[in-house]
Amino acid sequence: MEHMFSASEDLGCRRGDFSRKHYGSVELLISSDADGAIQRAGRFRVENGSSDESLDYTPGTWRRTDVHLENPEYHTRWFFKYFLGKVHQNYVGTDAEKNPFYLSVVLSDQNNQRVPQYRAILWRKTGTLKISLPYSPTKTLSVKSILSAMNMDRFEKGPREILNPEIQKDLLVLEEQEGSVNFKFGVLFAKDGQLTDDEMFSNETGSESFDKFLTLLGDSITLQGWAGYRGGLDTKNDTTGMKSIYTVYQGHELMFHVSTMLPYSKENKQQVERKRHIGNDIVTIVFQEGDDASSSFKPSMIRSHFTHIFALVRYNSQNDSYRLKIFSEESVPLFGPPLPSPPVFTDHQEFRDFLLVKLINGEKATLETPTFAQKRQRTLDMLIRSLYQDLMPDLHKNMLNRRSFSDVLPESPKSARKKEEARQAEFVRIGQALKLKTIVRGDAPTSLVTTGLCRKEPWESQSFCSTFPNEIVCADSWGQSLLAATDAAGVMLLDGEAAPPVQVFDKTMVVKQVHVLEPQDLLITRADKGKDARLYVYRLSTLKRGLEEKQLVRSKCDSRENKLEKTKGCHLYSINTHHGSELRIVAAIRNKLLLITRKHPRFEGLSAVAVAADSPVEEFQYIREICLCDPPVVMALVDGPTGENDNMICVAYKHQFDLINESTGDAYRLHHVDANRVNFVAAIDVYEDGEAGLLLCYNYICSYKKVCPFNGSTPMIQSNASDFHFSWNQMPNAIVCAFPYILAFTTDSIEIRLVVNGNLVYTAVVPELQLAASRSDIYFVSSAPVSSASNCSSRDTSSQSSPQTPTGYEMPVFPSPLGDGEAACKHMFKIPLCNLVGRSIERPLKSPLVNKVLTTPAAPAMLPPTPLIAATHSLSLSRMEIKEIASRTRKELLAAATHHRTFNGPSESVESDLDLQLHCSSGSEAEPEKASLREESPPLASAFTRSTSFEEDVLDLK
């Protein structure tokens, strides 16, 4: 039980206001014709920035927003990235309900950063579940234990290994059901005063401001002979127009269906040809002329059962700015980025970034609506069952291995070693050929390095202390310093690199939990273990004075006056996070809760300090004891709306989270955990627009529950439309909520998601990671050396980047793992809370424009590093540059395909990536590939948008 404090310690519930109001509100929108007759009505969520622009902004809200692609493919498409073309295992079985499932497992290096880990994908009709498990050289992992971690313990038929290498093709098809990596968006031109879709679609040409907007969106391309992503347009016979607008944004090919570029028919008032394309786009931009006061667009004006999101764009020529308004059909889940307030953009490049990210995130969110999710589930179910039927004959042959619960590590008896190696070589060869074909076809879930500047991300870490010899047990911020309790050196005050650590308590004080409450001049600690454990309270001013006057370091003996005696045997405590209200402490002593309050919360002041005793113990009073059925593992205090008999305590034990009324001791079941084994991580109280809610974190799950006050004291726990849950990719050891982000700290990574929808925005690899403090600024410890973390743009991507790591603009600086021969030593890093929640800074979306740099990935050692290409200010490379790069890359890909058909020998290195590297920037000849393609390559698609190596991508021609 002693170990559990770290999971439930007040894990950083320093958040901005948790609010979904930033993402608009649902309205019933009715459209009428010129005579006032109602045409159609629909419920849409309308995003328009803040409704009251003169509103006084409170901390935690923002005028500007950070722009992130949500669930980026290079973090979510695991099978293509980590499995395909590498040695891995695939298994088939049926669950207790007789539904087939597949399990894929690979032992991979975490982004080539010397952090080996298992990755597992469970394929089921309800969707895929992906988890990472830490690798231990002494403990091999069984298939059974992996499935158990995914909450699968009962089977009708236990998993058998599939040895047929063709299974990779089928699993790649399953992964592609997650959605396209390329997107088509409608662009509809509407003149001022137009009220019906027939009028809008009948605009034969646009206007000067509309043409300017199209130039901002992308490049005008000739459709005939176009080899890139075509978005359903005809590229042979000009039946869908002669030109279109196309761009590549962060690895996604985007085709715009522009109403004025699609065929116009004078005879057809409904313009069916135009509606056929734009009406079948999930997301449509409506560019409306006229000033803001003119009659406004409503989605119900457009007759389409398919379009779920409308982005209304207006251009103001007086101040050369764009105004944006978003309409999303009510069933579409929330998606970011939320509109800035006011939603006006004077920087056009900033507007383009925001708009494209909003459109891509919107289409992905729409795929989660019931309509699309049910279709996807039916397709998945059909594909999985069909594949299972195909595999059934192999159950009686040797293609399915009978070592059903074998170790995942690819080891085989010596007698069969050669045969196994030959099978693995063939397996990898087929996987590599599939990978090449997917890249050439343009469907690879890649992350192209953009031509944008290297932008500092809000979660970027700073070096706080380059070497710290002791293990940190717990810590908390004290001003700009860190008060850290160590395992063997007592409690130290760390001031970063500026000064050496100062000892505050000696090693006789074995501190397990700590809270620094500066406004209340208070330090709370839990020290010792077992029966000797107690809570101790100190005045910060007294400690500070002692340090300044160079008095002796305090020992346990000196702290006798600071004990809260009744907390003897305490194994866990929690405090309320809203320090403006009365301080409440709940101490858990086995299965008993002790509620403690402070009689007179006293704020720092000279007169108060002068008259107060050195120890604040006398200011605390014991209110009541509450008995539980089991000792709590995790605890959180929830503030009631009135504070009068409606405060709550959330406790976790056994397989459940319960809510306890502080006044009556009554317990209510909040959440039952349906799993054989439960690892409770945290319960975090959040307040959505002032109403209490809880983020419950256990195993790989994070679940949000709204706690509704009822009759003044009894909480009403009900299934609420605002409740949601999501899964982490790796088991968290700690959770930090800093709205709009929620961060999971695992053994070797920080996983960053958005609170409102659980969508992933980034995963940072941080070896041997341990969260130290998070109530204010976030401090964490890692074995990574301190690199030049502050200079983002000057990093040498040619040597730093690995084939699986986004570089440049996409890769914020995090501590990098150890280099060869470096001694393991703990380093401390800091993420300022104000960067995450935007309290004291207002981050611009982009740095001031300077010459953009087009970076290229690392070349193999034998080749010279590829030179950087300076790009211009323009949003696109010139047509000549595009043609030159396209032509060169096409030749190399064709050469590669020819080599594939010519060289049919087996792959020499089973676990290496493809030997073939395409270097389009340097123009070097492609190396012959030793693996062969089984069939002719499809027509080469838009080669200049393709990857130049199989794991990493190079060009984003905006």
Side-chain angles (χ1 to χ4, degrees), residues 822-888:
E822 290 180 40
C825 187
K826 295 287 184 179
H827 306 285
M828 202 175 298
F829 300 88
K830 169 182 173 179
I831 303 173
L833 183 78
C834 60
N835 287 5
L836 286 168
V837 302
R839 286 191 179 205
S840 60
I841 61 165
E842 195 174 87
R843 284 181 306 284
L845 298 184
K846 281 225 163 181
S847 309
L849 277 175
V850 299
N851 276 345
K852 297 175 182 177
V853 173
L854 187 63
T855 57
T856 54
M862 75 248 349
L863 291 166
T866 312
L868 297 177
I869 304 168
T872 61
H873 280 313
S874 68
L875 299 178
S876 344
L877 293 179
S878 72
R879 198 170 296 171
M880 288 304 295
E881 287 174 296
I882 288 177
K883 282 185 176 175
E884 186 186 343
I885 294 169
S887 161
R888 192 161 60 221

Side-chain angles (χ1 to χ4, degrees), residues 248-442:
V248 181
Y249 188 77
Q250 294 198 26
H252 300 284
E253 290 185 73
L254 312 179
M255 182 64 82
F256 296 93
H257 294 157
V258 183
S259 62
T260 56
M261 290 182 165
L262 290 165
Y264 172 76
S265 168
K266 286 182 179 174
E267 292 77 36
N268 188 335
K269 285 187 178 179
Q270 291 195 351
Q271 302 300 331
V272 173
E273 186 59 31
R274 290 178 168 185
K275 285 183 181 176
R276 185 166 71 86
H277 290 285
I278 296 175
N280 285 311
D281 291 330
I282 293 173
V283 180
T284 292
I285 300 168
V286 177
F287 184 91
Q288 188 165 44
E289 295 225 299
D291 57 34
D292 292 342
S294 64
S295 95
S296 200
F297 168 83
K298 289 175 184 169
S300 45
M301 294 173 180
I302 309 293
R303 284 169 291 187
S304 169
H305 295 296
F306 204 76
T307 307
H308 282 62
I309 294 166
F310 294 90
L312 181 66
V313 174
R314 288 177 180 276
Y315 176 69
N316 184 333
S317 56
Q318 291 179 336
N319 59 6
D320 192 26
S321 67
Y322 288 97
R323 176 179 279 268
L324 182 62
K325 188 174 184 178
I326 303 289
F327 300 88
S328 308
E329 203 271 328
E330 188 181 18
S331 62
V332 178
L334 298 181
F335 60 95
L339 264 63
S341 180
V344 174
F345 299 81
T346 51
D347 182 324
H348 294 185
Q349 183 63 32
E350 181 183 293
F351 173 60
R352 178 181 191 269
D353 273 357
F354 189 98
L355 179 63
L356 293 183
V357 170
K358 188 73 173 171
L359 300 182
I360 292 170
N361 288 345
E363 178 151 332
K364 287 184 186 177
T366 304
L367 297 178
E368 300 305 316
T369 58
T371 311
F372 286 98
Q374 285 160 13
K375 284 180 185 172
R376 186 171 64 245
Q377 190 166 324
R378 283 198 300 270
T379 307
L380 266 177
D381 190 25
M382 184 187 73
L383 288 170
I384 286 170
R385 289 186 184 281
S386 168
L387 178 55
Y388 186 69
Q389 292 300 320
D390 293 345
L391 288 169
M392 283 300 284
D394 291 335
L395 283 168
H396 309 294
K397 297 180 188 174
N398 265 345
M399 290 312 283
L400 290 175
N401 198 342
R402 292 199 176 271
R403 49 174 185 174
S404 58
F405 286 126
S406 62
D407 283 341
V408 168
L409 283 176
E411 292 185 0
S412 47
K414 286 183 181 176
S415 58
R417 184 65 55 89
K418 284 193 175 177
K419 188 176 177 183
E420 178 70 4
E421 282 177 358
R423 184 192 71 77
Q424 286 185 356
E426 174 69 0
F427 189 91
V428 169
R429 184 186 70 76
I430 286 176
Q432 289 178 349
L434 266 172
K435 199 164 213 173
L436 175 68
K437 286 177 70 176
T438 309
I439 289 169
V440 169
R441 197 172 65 234

Side-chain angles (χ1 to χ4, degrees), residues 14 77 79 115 172 185 227 232 251 268 297 318 384 391 440 581 620 630 683 692 696 719 791 794 879 914 923 933:
R14 283 290 305 274
R77 301 291 177 92
F79 189 75
V115 183
L172 186 60
F185 300 128
N268 188 335
F297 168 83
Q318 291 179 336
I384 286 170
L391 288 169
V440 169
S581 55
F620 287 86
D630 278 275
L696 309 176
S719 183
N791 193 358
S794 67
R879 198 170 296 171
L914 289 170
L933 279 172

